[in-house]
Amino acid sequence: MLVAWRYRERKNSFIQSFDPRAWVIFYLCCFVSTLSFWDVRFLLPFLVIAIFVLLTSGVKWHEIRRAFLFIVIFIFFFSILTFLTGRGGSEVYKQEHLIREFRASFSILGWTPVLKVTVERAFFAVSQLVRYASVAVMTILVPYSLNPALYGITFKGLGLPDKFAYAMDLTMRFIPTFGRDFQLTMDAQRARGYELEKIDGGLIAQVRKLGPIVVPVTIHAIIGSEDIIDAMDLRAFGVGPRTWLDVLTYTTRDRILIAVGAAILTVSIVLGFMGFGKFWVPEVLLGMF
Amino acid sequence: MTSTLAPLVVDNLSFRYRDRQGAAIHNLSFTANPGEVLLIAGASGCGKTTLVRCINGLIPRSYKGEMSGKILVFGEEVKDWKLSQISQKIGTVLQDPERQILGTKVVNEVAFGLENLGMPREEIYSRVDEALNFLKIPHLRNRETFNLSGGEKQKVALAGVLAMRPSIVLLDEPLASLDPASAQDTLDAVRLLADQGLSILMVEHRVEDVMRIKPERVMFMSDGEIRYLGELSGLSKVVNYREVKLPAEDIVERAKLDPPPVEIKVLPGVTSSEIKQDALVRFEDVAFGYESGVEILHGIDLQINRGDVIAVLGPNGAGKTTFVKHAIGLLKPKSGKVLVGGRDTNEASVAEIASMLGYVFQSPSHMLFAPTVREELAFGPTNMKHTKTQIELEVKEALKIVNLVEKENDPPLALSFGQQKRVSIAAILAMRSRILVMDEPTAGQDYQNYMNFMDSILQMPAFEAIIFITHDVDLAAIYANRVLIISDGRLIADGKPQDVLRDFDRLKANRIIPTSLLALNLKRLSATGRFMRAEALAHI
């Protein structure tokens, strides 16, 4: 259970100046609101909020670099993929305005690959990028900013039952332990000449070849969880309502944050019902093609 | 009323696990008294852990089976008690503190049980402070649990149990994962508890270590039965000194009556004419640090030669594992060079190095995965692109050496811990690695098992050198012909056991505690010329 955390207490951090419950509520409000829009004009404010939170979080670039790059590459990859294939967006727009068509000079079995660059596809890719980026930036900050010692009480404070709140708390903290076991097994198998990078073959063959990693890691997780269950049982876990040692208290600024979050969410929902925020392409562009 | 009753009475207790044949314990009867440490010793599988589970209520509540007999706590039968009720009378500290510490901060960890009982916050805080003060660790109160040393973790786990104010404390092999100095700290804390009137039942096979705190009584179990229950002084007369590690003087007394032990031939594959100065592995001014920038190894210079049996000693976190991971190429030096068979590890893949060095991890379950032992052993050679006929031969030979031929088609994960450990060695043998590297080879095994295990490994003809990391000074004294002490990432001693281990001040400074066997060996060194096991000393 015991591994180092990404979390640090950070000076002048905007996120950390709030009660974690208030922060989680605000985060969820932004999350749901972002996902209810496709209009890039409505999405941009959320990206601005996310970037503001990132810049004021006190998290240093070198701490977050790897995770951040991974997410940026991931988002770009998927946005470009949707752009190239034209899939995904077809649900939000019916008509397409062609900018240019690229036709391959070869054909495979009678099929000639064609890339249609349309105003809708391009704008859809941009909207998607903004949408995912705002959600991802906010999410990535959670493990760096929220104190793991307060996970349980945070969930409890959000109205979840004791057992469930503690289970969430344990699960969150179990992930890094899992990572450590994975590394140990990886080392043990590499010392036996196993190279994960060289796995080839069909999908089933590839999954089979992951056995040397997956089996020991799973077995360890099971053995480990048995010990944890024993340790919890032996200290009367789950016998009745429990006291949570840490106390969280809302201050005025926390209430303001929750109110702002709730307002954002309400406005988003109302706008959605009124038909605003759907996929949007500037009229000017449409007129040009 | 209750004060006159014994805290714990076990009366004719038997238990059989639902999915196993044969009872794990039969007809156990004993009483635990207030203010005493009752040491429970015995080999793996003797029923110690089952007994602990029956007393703390996990049997039959979490582990099902057939139970008979009675357990009385202050005269009351606990059969119908809830686990929460039992846990306020009987506290349990499990073997591995890593796996039972649930809180991220010490204060939360110690409070966990009290929180579950729904106590008022002020009461919890006062009990937490009381427990921490009692164990003399109030300074740890606001520390994060992952930053604690092994001994500190074990004491924090103990504090979590004490906060519930039990009258009886069960400790299930509390020393297993600790370095000698941390083990001593934990034992001192346990003595303190008994002196305050608690009943302590401690399951532990490191009997010699526990003897330092003078347990009032010892129970010796084998095959699920009590073979001895009485004063410590009587133990060495009834138990087999090969089964339980007794102080060296006691073994010498007993072994005099037996024929002298057969001398083992260390690394029989290496003839003395082969022991030349051509190094198998060479470290040249190696330094290493992770990305965070803190340097973990500094200026390591040494070579591993044919015929070396090297014990690596040093406190937890000193860099021992980092050091051996460099030898097998899992880590590459930040500066300096590691040469394996003359080749720089920066230029060789781990797979290529594996033909020279095979690494056996502490816990076999970190590597075993295949459906049969045979496939498990074929894994390494297959990765190294050996031919089919070659692999078949290698697997067969490896199985023969570790004496597991009849288990060839069994799933390795279904074998006993000792057998799994042997499978993990065989996996290295099958790759024809020339140097065997082991991290804590004795972890998780009882005394007799690990001594047999070490004896058989050292006599394997396949290896040209062996390196093992250990906390057990006796293991280094008996088996190694070269001892390294690593502390703070530096190699601070490298030489013959009799030269390195004679400096007790240096050992203590590195959290290594001299043992009775080491002291006896040093006393007799002029007559013997080298370190020996106690049985052999009896005949000199």
Side-chain angles (χ1 to χ4, degrees):
Chain A
M1 289 311 296
L2 311 171
V3 262
W5 275 93
R6 305 240 178 264
Y7 163 79
R8 303 273 174 283
E9 221 167 277
R10 299 166 203 281
K11 266 191 193 160
N12 305 323
S13 162
F14 181 68
I15 295 195
Q16 291 187 344
S17 66
F18 292 101
D19 181 303
R21 289 168 301 174
W23 181 256
V24 170
I25 292 171
F26 180 74
Y27 164 77
L28 290 175
C29 290
C30 286
F31 187 93
V32 175
S33 304
T34 312
L35 294 188
S36 63
F37 293 124
W38 272 110
D39 186 334
V40 78
R41 294 169 301 179
F42 288 78
L43 289 169
L44 274 174
F46 292 103
L47 185 63
V48 172
I49 295 176
I51 290 174
F52 170 77
V53 174
L54 173 70
L55 295 178
T56 55
S57 66
V59 180
K60 300 270 180 309
W61 171 240
H62 70 88
E63 297 175 71
I64 209 169
R65 191 182 57 212
R66 281 173 71 177
F68 204 80
L69 287 179
F70 174 76
I71 289 190
V72 166
I73 292 169
F74 188 82
I75 294 172
F76 263 97
F77 177 75
F78 277 98
S79 302
I80 290 173
L81 199 71
T82 355
F83 175 67
L84 292 179
T85 57
R87 281 165 201 270
S90 51
E91 298 150 19
V92 294
Y93 53 81
K94 300 259 176 330
Q95 208 187 353
E96 291 189 57
H97 293 74
L98 191 67
I99 303 174
R100 214 169 150 184
E101 189 177 279
F102 298 93
R103 189 171 285 274
S105 54
F106 55 88
S107 52
I108 309 158
L109 300 171
W111 170 71
T112 316
V114 179
L115 171 61
K116 284 184 183 167
V117 180
T118 66
V119 177
E120 286 77 8
R121 282 194 197 183
F123 243 80
F124 184 74
V126 172
S127 311
Q128 199 181 27
L129 206 72
V130 174
R131 204 169 182 233
Y132 288 162
S134 11
V135 170
V137 168
M138 294 276 269
T139 311
I140 202 177
L141 290 171
V142 171
Y144 293 87
S145 307
L146 293 196
N147 185 351
L150 301 178
Y151 284 166
I153 182 66
T154 304
F155 288 120
K156 169 74 185 165
L158 291 171
L160 297 180
D162 277 345
K163 276 190 184 176
F164 195 74
Y166 203 82
M168 289 291 276
D169 180 332
L170 271 181
T171 314
M172 300 283 262
R173 286 195 277 129
F174 196 69
I175 295 166
T177 314
F178 189 74
R180 187 184 54 182
D181 274 348
F182 180 84
Q183 193 54 48
L184 257 171
T185 297
M186 194 66 196
D187 280 351
Q189 307 302 36
R190 279 178 64 207
R192 296 163 78 192
Y194 175 81
E195 285 169 293
L196 193 60
E197 308 79 36
K198 288 194 182 162
I199 284 188
D200 49 16
L203 186 66
I204 293 172
Q206 286 191 20
V207 171
R208 273 181 69 97
K209 283 179 187 164
L210 284 175
I213 302 290
V214 176
V215 174
V217 170
T218 314
I219 298 275
H220 255 259
I222 294 169
I223 299 173
S225 57
E226 273 180 12
D227 279 350
I228 292 166
I229 292 167
D230 280 357
M232 290 170 75
D233 278 349
L234 287 172
R235 288 204 276 158
F237 180 76
V239 293
R242 93 191 278 278
T243 310
W244 293 80
L245 195 59
D246 293 297
V247 189
L248 296 176
T249 28
Y250 285 127
T251 58
T252 313
R253 52 188 286 120
D254 296 319
R255 292 194 186 95
I256 294 174
L257 186 72
I258 295 174
V260 171
I264 291 176
L265 183 64
T266 319
V267 170
S268 305
I269 292 173
V270 171
L271 286 176
F273 270 117
M274 290 166 67
F276 291 103
K278 293 201 172 115
F279 182 60
W280 168 80
V281 182
E283 289 292 334
V284 194
L285 286 177
L286 292 180
M288 287 167 70
F289 301 98
Chain B
M1 242 322 261
T2 49
S3 60
T4 55
L5 292 164
L8 177 74
V9 175
V10 172
D11 182 18
N12 215 13
L13 184 71
S14 300
F15 181 76
R16 183 180 73 79
Y17 287 98
R18 190 167 58 185
D19 49 358
R20 284 186 225 166
Q21 284 187 333
I25 48 176
H26 341 244
N27 307 330
L28 304 185
S29 296
F30 65 93
T31 303
N33 303 316
E36 80 165 352
V37 175
L38 172 58
L39 168 64
I40 305 175
S44 302
C46 71
K48 299 177 303 224
T49 300
T50 306
L51 172 61
V52 167
R53 285 179 183 157
C54 287
I55 298 173
N56 65 25
L58 284 179
I59 287 178
R61 290 160 192 83
S62 299
Y63 298 86
K64 304 287 178 200
E66 283 166 30
M67 187 171 172
S68 64
K70 272 193 265 180
I71 295 173
L72 306 171
V73 172
F74 291 110
E76 269 186 70
E77 198 172 343
V78 297
K79 199 171 69 185
D80 301 321
W81 287 17
K82 284 191 182 142
L83 209 50
S84 57
Q85 239 177 317
I86 299 180
S87 65
Q88 292 179 71
K89 295 278 183 211
I90 304 174
T92 311
V93 178
L94 302 168
Q95 193 180 97
D96 186 354
E98 291 262 334
R99 290 218 179 130
Q100 64 184 311
I101 290 184
L102 303 154
T104 38
K105 271 190 171 176
V106 169
V107 56
N108 296 86
E109 168 55 27
V110 178
F112 181 74
L114 307 175
E115 288 179 305
N116 292 334
L117 294 173
M119 281 188 181
R121 223 166 255 124
E122 305 69 48
E123 169 84 8
I124 295 181
Y125 277 120
S126 93
R127 285 210 197 183
V128 167
D129 289 334
E130 178 190 284
L132 292 174
N133 287 330
F134 186 78
L135 290 170
K136 303 195 175 90
I137 48 169
H139 55 284
L140 299 181
R141 189 179 190 275
N142 293 314
R143 290 261 303 274
E144 294 186 43
T145 43
F146 66 76
N147 281 329
L148 304 175
S149 73
E152 285 170 340
K153 280 177 195 153
Q154 200 58 288
K155 277 200 238 170
V156 167
L158 194 53
V161 164
L162 285 186
M164 297 176 84
R165 293 196 184 145
S167 312
I168 303 155
V169 175
L170 305 176
L171 298 121
D172 191 359
E173 300 198 22
L175 311 180
S177 58
L178 303 183
D179 65 38
S182 302
Q184 203 165 29
D185 279 358
T186 306
L187 284 169
D188 290 341
V190 168
R191 181 73 260 175
L192 197 66
L193 295 183
D195 292 346
Q196 296 290 320
L198 271 77
S199 297
I200 309 284
L201 275 75
M202 171 148 48
V203 169
E204 187 53 65
H205 55 240
R206 285 162 71 166
V207 172
E208 192 194 353
D209 292 346
V210 184
M211 281 183 175
R212 289 207 183 96
I213 59 161
K214 302 195 168 53
E216 276 72 14
R217 285 189 303 159
V218 188
M219 179 194 295
F220 178 68
M221 290 177 69
S222 101
D223 296 328
E225 288 174 17
I226 299 175
R227 296 269 182 243
Y228 174 78
L229 177 59
E231 285 186 10
L232 187 62
S233 54
L235 179 72
S236 57
K237 295 185 185 70
V238 283
V239 303
N240 182 340
Y241 60 83
R242 290 185 192 90
E243 277 180 34
V244 173
K245 190 176 176 188
L246 299 170
E249 290 82 3
D250 292 2
I251 302 180
V252 168
E253 277 312 304
R254 293 276 307 279
K256 272 182 186 161
L257 311 170
D258 293 336
V262 184
E263 183 97 356
I264 67 161
K265 174 130 179 54
V266 175
L267 299 180
V270 182
T271 56
S272 52
S273 61
E274 274 180 347
I275 306 176
K276 285 179 251 148
Q277 287 311 302
D278 57 332
L280 296 169
V281 179
R282 191 192 296 274
F283 279 68
E284 291 177 0
D285 196 24
V286 169
F288 178 78
Y290 286 100
E291 271 175 27
S292 53
V294 185
E295 204 170 273
I296 298 170
L297 288 184
H298 336 262
I300 304 276
D301 252 315
L302 64 89
Q303 57 182 54
I304 298 166
N305 301 313
R306 246 181 215 102
D308 276 347
V309 179
I310 301 175
V312 184
L313 299 174
N316 279 340
K320 302 185 297 283
T321 303
T322 311
F323 161 70
V324 298
K325 279 190 173 175
H326 273 83
I328 56 169
L330 280 174
L331 294 173
K332 314 279 182 189
K334 202 172 170 188
S335 68
K337 252 195 250 177
V338 179
L339 301 167
V340 173
R343 234 177 125 197
D344 193 329
T345 53
N346 271 316
E347 285 148 25
S349 71
V350 180
E352 286 165 327
I353 298 170
S355 62
M356 187 66 148
L357 291 114
Y359 189 17
V360 177
F361 280 68
Q362 204 178 95
S363 153
S365 56
H366 273 131
M367 62 178 267
L368 301 178
F369 72 96
T372 66
V373 170
R374 191 181 47 232
E375 285 169 76
E376 188 71 55
L377 301 194
F379 179 67
T382 311
N383 288 332
M384 292 160 76
K385 308 267 184 298
H386 293 188
T387 63
K388 255 200 172 145
T389 37
Q390 224 179 336
I391 294 173
E392 215 166 285
L393 188 78
E394 286 161 348
V395 169
K396 244 188 203 149
E397 277 189 15
L399 281 170
K400 221 154 91 192
I401 295 173
V402 298
N403 203 10
L404 283 174
V405 178
E406 75 283 8
K407 302 279 180 198
E408 192 183 353
N409 293 314
D410 289 15
L413 288 165
L415 301 177
S416 75
F417 185 84
Q419 287 169 332
Q420 287 190 1
K421 204 91 186 172
R422 270 151 60 199
V423 172
S424 62
I425 302 278
I428 302 307
L429 283 167
M431 294 196 298
R432 292 277 160 94
S433 303
R434 291 158 66 190
I435 307 173
L436 178 66
V437 185
M438 297 184 283
D439 193 352
E440 291 283 350
T442 60
Q445 301 193 73
D446 64 48
Y447 179 62
Q448 189 171 23
N449 272 326
Y450 77 63
M451 291 302 274
N452 289 339
F453 174 77
M454 287 301 285
D455 281 351
S456 63
I457 286 173
L458 273 120
Q459 295 185 81
M460 286 178 189
F463 298 118
E464 295 174 28
I466 293 177
I467 306 171
F468 59 94
I469 296 177
T470 185
H471 283 313
D472 188 336
V473 184
D474 286 350
L475 216 60
I478 296 172
Y479 291 106
N481 54 27
R482 184 172 164 194
V483 174
L484 309 182
I485 297 180
I486 293 185
S487 187
D488 273 336
R490 286 178 206 287
L491 181 61
I492 59 162
D494 178 1
K496 288 185 180 160
Q498 52 269 43
D499 298 331
V500 173
L501 298 178
R502 68 174 353 135
D503 185 347
F504 281 17
D505 289 336
R506 178 165 64 189
L507 293 185
K508 283 179 189 157
N510 291 294
R511 302 183 67 79
I512 302 164
I513 310 263
T515 56
S516 60
L517 179 63
L518 181 60
L520 191 64
N521 261 306
L522 284 167
K523 212 158 83 184
R524 302 228 189 147
L525 192 60
S526 53
T528 56
R530 64 187 171 94
F531 284 175
M532 299 175 148
R533 59 187 75 201
E535 296 91 309
L537 284 173
H539 296 278
I540 290 197

